[in-house]
Amino acid sequence: EAQVTQNPRYLITVTGKKLTVTCSQNMNHEYMSWYRQDPGLGLRQIYYSMNVEVTDKGDVPEGYKVSRKEKRNFPLILESPSPNQTSLYFCASMGSMNTEAFFGQGTRLTVV
Amino acid sequence: AQRVTQPEKLLSVFKGAPVELKCNYSYSGSPELFWYVQYSRQRLQLLLRHISRESIKGFTADLNKGETSFHLKKPFAQEEDSAMYYCALITGGGNKLTFGTGTQLKVEL
């Protein structure tokens, strides 16, 4: 089954403790991206990647890092999480430009 | 810069009533527009895209370049249509997918 898988689904952590949210897709898609979803703000793009070793900032990249060492994986790294990063995070992948985006099930992160 | 505007945060209609979810965009180039839907506790999924000009689950959306709009319509709302709807725009050669703030549709019996 074609899918995008994120882990963990839920995470509560403390300020400053480094964490990684993993994202994996099994569709051999070149394009992957991360979004955060906040009430009243919709989905905002954090980072995206057009292929292996090619990443770029989205609209709200501050406080986040990503890497794309393999085509299927695109982890989101928070080196020093802060409470304003409490949000619902979605990973997405696309097979080629201007096609359908497939989303993961979301990761609800709470930073206290 | 590209922008997608969904003016309504919440739209409540009765079952059987017509539905129109508004979406306006700003982009100087030729846009690729989509509607995504998020049912309760589920992931976002594509509902329809303007280039396909198709009807999905009774929903249609027409791109109006003059008004820079891509409103989502359905003639008769069903209870199962209750969900969060996002309008989205692809620009930059396909490397940037910009979402609106979303509209929560609630269909009441």
mmCIF file of all heavy atoms in Angstrom, chain B residues 1 4 15-16 18 25 36 38 45-46 51 60-61 63 65-66 68-69 74 76 79 89-90 94 97-98 108-109:
data_model
loop_
_atom_site.group_PDB
_atom_site.id
_atom_site.type_symbol
_atom_site.label_atom_id
_atom_site.label_comp_id
_atom_site.label_asym_id
_atom_site.label_seq_id
_atom_site.Cartn_x
_atom_site.Cartn_y
_atom_site.Cartn_z
ATOM 1 N N ALA B 1 4.505 37.460 -4.037
ATOM 2 C CA ALA B 1 4.516 36.103 -3.501
ATOM 3 C C ALA B 1 3.123 35.484 -3.623
ATOM 4 O O ALA B 1 2.124 36.192 -3.622
ATOM 5 C CB ALA B 1 4.931 36.125 -2.027
ATOM 6 N N VAL B 4 -2.941 32.127 -0.757
ATOM 7 C CA VAL B 4 -4.259 31.516 -0.893
ATOM 8 C C VAL B 4 -5.120 32.000 0.259
ATOM 9 O O VAL B 4 -4.701 31.916 1.415
ATOM 10 C CB VAL B 4 -4.152 29.972 -0.875
ATOM 11 C CG1 VAL B 4 -5.546 29.356 -0.961
ATOM 12 C CG2 VAL B 4 -3.275 29.479 -2.009
ATOM 13 N N LYS B 15 -28.188 19.522 5.895
ATOM 14 C CA LYS B 15 -28.147 18.433 4.931
ATOM 15 C C LYS B 15 -29.089 18.734 3.772
ATOM 16 O O LYS B 15 -30.231 19.154 3.996
ATOM 17 C CB LYS B 15 -28.556 17.129 5.609
ATOM 18 C CG LYS B 15 -28.546 15.916 4.694
ATOM 19 C CD LYS B 15 -28.991 14.681 5.445
ATOM 20 C CE LYS B 15 -29.116 13.489 4.512
ATOM 21 N NZ LYS B 15 -29.558 12.275 5.230
ATOM 22 N N GLY B 16 -28.594 18.542 2.544
ATOM 23 C CA GLY B 16 -29.397 18.801 1.374
ATOM 24 C C GLY B 16 -29.262 20.203 0.821
ATOM 25 O O GLY B 16 -29.707 20.477 -0.302
ATOM 26 N N PRO B 18 -27.176 23.574 -0.628
ATOM 27 C CA PRO B 18 -25.961 23.738 -1.458
ATOM 28 C C PRO B 18 -24.804 24.253 -0.618
ATOM 29 O O PRO B 18 -24.994 24.954 0.391
ATOM 30 C CB PRO B 18 -26.399 24.784 -2.494
ATOM 31 C CG PRO B 18 -27.505 25.531 -1.836
ATOM 32 C CD PRO B 18 -28.208 24.556 -0.950
ATOM 33 N N TYR B 25 -6.907 33.270 -4.804
ATOM 34 C CA TYR B 25 -5.456 33.137 -4.821
ATOM 35 C C TYR B 25 -4.830 34.384 -5.438
ATOM 36 O O TYR B 25 -5.478 35.135 -6.165
ATOM 37 C CB TYR B 25 -5.036 31.890 -5.598
ATOM 38 C CG TYR B 25 -5.345 31.968 -7.082
ATOM 39 C CD1 TYR B 25 -4.399 32.452 -7.983
ATOM 40 C CD2 TYR B 25 -6.578 31.556 -7.573
ATOM 41 C CE1 TYR B 25 -4.680 32.547 -9.327
ATOM 42 C CE2 TYR B 25 -6.870 31.643 -8.930
ATOM 43 C CZ TYR B 25 -5.928 32.144 -9.798
ATOM 44 O OH TYR B 25 -6.213 32.239 -11.141
ATOM 45 N N TYR B 36 -7.872 20.022 -0.926
ATOM 46 C CA TYR B 36 -7.579 18.885 -0.071
ATOM 47 C C TYR B 36 -8.626 18.844 1.036
ATOM 48 O O TYR B 36 -9.136 19.871 1.473
ATOM 49 C CB TYR B 36 -6.183 19.010 0.548
ATOM 50 C CG TYR B 36 -5.074 18.637 -0.400
ATOM 51 C CD1 TYR B 36 -4.585 19.558 -1.326
ATOM 52 C CD2 TYR B 36 -4.516 17.362 -0.393
ATOM 53 C CE1 TYR B 36 -3.573 19.227 -2.218
ATOM 54 C CE2 TYR B 36 -3.502 17.013 -1.280
ATOM 55 C CZ TYR B 36 -3.044 17.942 -2.174
ATOM 56 O OH TYR B 36 -2.048 17.604 -3.057
ATOM 57 N N GLN B 38 -9.651 17.031 4.930
ATOM 58 C CA GLN B 38 -9.174 16.316 6.122
ATOM 59 C C GLN B 38 -10.385 15.941 6.960
ATOM 60 O O GLN B 38 -10.978 16.789 7.637
ATOM 61 C CB GLN B 38 -8.204 17.199 6.911
ATOM 62 C CG GLN B 38 -7.541 16.502 8.074
ATOM 63 C CD GLN B 38 -6.555 17.410 8.793
ATOM 64 O OE1 GLN B 38 -6.669 18.632 8.767
ATOM 65 N NE2 GLN B 38 -5.559 16.824 9.428
ATOM 66 N N GLN B 45 -6.060 14.510 2.355
ATOM 67 C CA GLN B 45 -6.062 13.786 1.084
ATOM 68 C C GLN B 45 -6.608 14.686 -0.009
ATOM 69 O O GLN B 45 -7.395 15.583 0.248
ATOM 70 C CB GLN B 45 -6.899 12.505 1.193
ATOM 71 C CG GLN B 45 -8.332 12.735 1.653
ATOM 72 C CD GLN B 45 -9.053 11.435 1.921
ATOM 73 O OE1 GLN B 45 -9.463 10.742 0.995
ATOM 74 N NE2 GLN B 45 -9.198 11.090 3.183
ATOM 75 N N LEU B 46 -6.161 14.405 -1.212
ATOM 76 C CA LEU B 46 -6.584 15.206 -2.343
ATOM 77 C C LEU B 46 -8.061 14.973 -2.630
ATOM 78 O O LEU B 46 -8.519 13.830 -2.694
ATOM 79 C CB LEU B 46 -5.754 14.850 -3.570
ATOM 80 C CG LEU B 46 -6.103 15.600 -4.851
ATOM 81 C CD1 LEU B 46 -5.725 17.070 -4.718
ATOM 82 C CD2 LEU B 46 -5.396 14.976 -6.048
ATOM 83 N N ILE B 51 -6.976 20.985 -12.939
ATOM 84 C CA ILE B 51 -6.564 20.552 -14.266
ATOM 85 C C ILE B 51 -7.356 19.320 -14.712
ATOM 86 O O ILE B 51 -7.498 19.058 -15.902
ATOM 87 C CB ILE B 51 -5.046 20.292 -14.288
ATOM 88 C CG1 ILE B 51 -4.517 20.321 -15.713
ATOM 89 C CG2 ILE B 51 -4.708 18.986 -13.597
ATOM 90 C CD1 ILE B 51 -3.016 20.345 -15.792
ATOM 91 N N THR B 60 -17.384 20.005 -7.199
ATOM 92 C CA THR B 60 -16.720 20.547 -8.378
ATOM 93 C C THR B 60 -16.065 21.866 -8.010
ATOM 94 O O THR B 60 -16.437 22.507 -7.012
ATOM 95 C CB THR B 60 -17.712 20.798 -9.523
ATOM 96 O OG1 THR B 60 -18.722 21.720 -9.075
ATOM 97 C CG2 THR B 60 -18.356 19.510 -10.009
ATOM 98 N N ALA B 61 -15.093 22.254 -8.800
ATOM 99 C CA ALA B 61 -14.449 23.552 -8.589
ATOM 100 C C ALA B 61 -13.981 24.058 -9.945
ATOM 101 O O ALA B 61 -13.349 23.314 -10.697
ATOM 102 C CB ALA B 61 -13.273 23.432 -7.627
ATOM 103 N N LEU B 63 -11.856 26.982 -12.028
ATOM 104 C CA LEU B 63 -10.861 28.041 -11.929
ATOM 105 C C LEU B 63 -11.349 29.256 -12.696
ATOM 106 O O LEU B 63 -11.652 29.155 -13.896
ATOM 107 C CB LEU B 63 -9.530 27.552 -12.498
ATOM 108 C CG LEU B 63 -8.398 28.568 -12.550
ATOM 109 C CD1 LEU B 63 -8.056 29.061 -11.152
ATOM 110 C CD2 LEU B 63 -7.175 27.979 -13.230
ATOM 111 N N LYS B 65 -9.897 32.650 -13.673
ATOM 112 C CA LYS B 65 -8.672 33.447 -13.664
ATOM 113 C C LYS B 65 -8.963 34.938 -13.530
ATOM 114 O O LYS B 65 -8.174 35.688 -12.960
ATOM 115 C CB LYS B 65 -7.855 33.163 -14.920
ATOM 116 C CG LYS B 65 -7.244 31.769 -14.926
ATOM 117 C CD LYS B 65 -6.285 31.584 -16.089
ATOM 118 C CE LYS B 65 -5.637 30.201 -16.037
ATOM 119 N NZ LYS B 65 -4.691 29.983 -17.163
ATOM 120 N N GLY B 66 -10.106 35.361 -14.073
ATOM 121 C CA GLY B 66 -10.451 36.780 -13.982
ATOM 122 C C GLY B 66 -10.666 37.223 -12.545
ATOM 123 O O GLY B 66 -10.246 38.302 -12.134
ATOM 124 N N THR B 68 -9.587 35.348 -10.021
ATOM 125 C CA THR B 68 -8.559 34.592 -9.267
ATOM 126 C C THR B 68 -9.223 33.779 -8.150
ATOM 127 O O THR B 68 -8.866 33.897 -6.960
ATOM 128 C CB THR B 68 -7.460 35.507 -8.694
ATOM 129 O OG1 THR B 68 -8.036 36.489 -7.815
ATOM 130 C CG2 THR B 68 -6.704 36.191 -9.805
ATOM 131 N N SER B 69 -10.196 32.980 -8.536
ATOM 132 C CA SER B 69 -10.913 32.181 -7.554
ATOM 133 C C SER B 69 -10.968 30.723 -7.986
ATOM 134 O O SER B 69 -10.826 30.399 -9.176
ATOM 135 C CB SER B 69 -12.338 32.720 -7.366
ATOM 136 O OG SER B 69 -13.111 32.501 -8.533
ATOM 137 N N LYS B 74 -20.912 22.125 -4.091
ATOM 138 C CA LYS B 74 -21.670 20.878 -4.117
ATOM 139 C C LYS B 74 -23.145 21.233 -4.013
ATOM 140 O O LYS B 74 -23.516 22.017 -3.139
ATOM 141 C CB LYS B 74 -21.257 19.951 -2.977
ATOM 142 C CG LYS B 74 -21.925 18.591 -3.033
ATOM 143 C CD LYS B 74 -21.318 17.614 -2.039
ATOM 144 C CE LYS B 74 -21.978 16.251 -2.157
ATOM 145 N NZ LYS B 74 -21.376 15.240 -1.269
ATOM 146 N N PHE B 76 -25.847 19.495 -3.111
ATOM 147 C CA PHE B 76 -26.620 18.972 -1.978
ATOM 148 C C PHE B 76 -25.658 18.390 -0.947
ATOM 149 O O PHE B 76 -25.080 17.328 -1.171
ATOM 150 C CB PHE B 76 -27.594 17.889 -2.444
ATOM 151 C CG PHE B 76 -28.480 18.307 -3.586
ATOM 152 C CD1 PHE B 76 -28.225 17.861 -4.874
ATOM 153 C CD2 PHE B 76 -29.550 19.165 -3.380
ATOM 154 C CE1 PHE B 76 -29.027 18.259 -5.937
ATOM 155 C CE2 PHE B 76 -30.357 19.570 -4.427
ATOM 156 C CZ PHE B 76 -30.093 19.115 -5.707
ATOM 157 N N GLU B 79 -24.110 14.560 5.228
ATOM 158 C CA GLU B 79 -23.495 14.579 6.550
ATOM 159 C C GLU B 79 -22.020 14.179 6.489
ATOM 160 O O GLU B 79 -21.175 14.751 7.195
ATOM 161 C CB GLU B 79 -24.256 13.630 7.477
ATOM 162 C CG GLU B 79 -23.908 13.805 8.940
ATOM 163 C CD GLU B 79 -24.681 12.854 9.835
ATOM 164 O OE1 GLU B 79 -25.524 12.084 9.315
ATOM 165 O OE2 GLU B 79 -24.431 12.874 11.049
ATOM 166 N N LEU B 89 -2.271 25.853 -3.702
ATOM 167 C CA LEU B 89 -1.722 26.380 -4.955
ATOM 168 C C LEU B 89 -0.291 25.887 -5.112
ATOM 169 O O LEU B 89 0.500 25.972 -4.171
ATOM 170 C CB LEU B 89 -1.751 27.918 -4.872
ATOM 171 C CG LEU B 89 -0.994 28.748 -5.897
ATOM 172 C CD1 LEU B 89 -1.663 28.633 -7.259
ATOM 173 C CD2 LEU B 89 -0.949 30.207 -5.451
ATOM 174 N N ILE B 90 0.024 25.372 -6.281
ATOM 175 C CA ILE B 90 1.410 24.983 -6.571
ATOM 176 C C ILE B 90 2.028 26.032 -7.470
ATOM 177 O O ILE B 90 1.450 26.415 -8.489
ATOM 178 C CB ILE B 90 1.480 23.600 -7.239
ATOM 179 C CG1 ILE B 90 1.382 22.509 -6.176
ATOM 180 C CG2 ILE B 90 2.783 23.440 -8.013
ATOM 181 C CD1 ILE B 90 1.664 21.127 -6.699
ATOM 182 N N GLY B 94 6.548 23.854 -9.338
ATOM 183 C CA GLY B 94 6.072 22.670 -8.650
ATOM 184 C C GLY B 94 6.734 22.397 -7.326
ATOM 185 O O GLY B 94 6.445 21.392 -6.688
ATOM 186 N N LEU B 97 4.061 24.180 -2.470
ATOM 187 C CA LEU B 97 2.623 23.966 -2.315
ATOM 188 C C LEU B 97 2.157 24.854 -1.176
ATOM 189 O O LEU B 97 2.534 24.624 -0.032
ATOM 190 C CB LEU B 97 2.364 22.487 -2.020
ATOM 191 C CG LEU B 97 0.924 22.011 -1.860
ATOM 192 C CD1 LEU B 97 0.104 22.305 -3.095
ATOM 193 C CD2 LEU B 97 0.902 20.522 -1.544
ATOM 194 N N THR B 98 1.360 25.862 -1.499
ATOM 195 C CA THR B 98 0.892 26.834 -0.505
ATOM 196 C C THR B 98 -0.567 26.568 -0.185
ATOM 197 O O THR B 98 -1.401 26.462 -1.096
ATOM 198 C CB THR B 98 1.052 28.267 -1.048
ATOM 199 O OG1 THR B 98 2.426 28.508 -1.336
ATOM 200 C CG2 THR B 98 0.577 29.290 -0.017
ATOM 201 N N GLU B 108 -25.284 19.833 9.094
ATOM 202 C CA GLU B 108 -26.208 19.472 10.179
ATOM 203 C C GLU B 108 -27.459 18.804 9.630
ATOM 204 O O GLU B 108 -27.898 19.093 8.518
ATOM 205 C CB GLU B 108 -26.571 20.736 10.960
ATOM 206 C CG GLU B 108 -25.351 21.422 11.567
ATOM 207 C CD GLU B 108 -25.731 22.614 12.412
ATOM 208 O OE1 GLU B 108 -26.368 22.420 13.460
ATOM 209 O OE2 GLU B 108 -25.401 23.741 12.004
ATOM 210 N N LEU B 109 -28.005 17.915 10.456
ATOM 211 C CA LEU B 109 -29.207 17.186 10.027
ATOM 212 C C LEU B 109 -30.456 18.046 10.165
ATOM 213 O O LEU B 109 -30.506 18.962 10.961
ATOM 214 C CB LEU B 109 -29.354 15.906 10.861
ATOM 215 C CG LEU B 109 -28.189 14.930 10.713
ATOM 216 C CD1 LEU B 109 -28.365 13.756 11.669
ATOM 217 C CD2 LEU B 109 -28.123 14.422 9.272
#
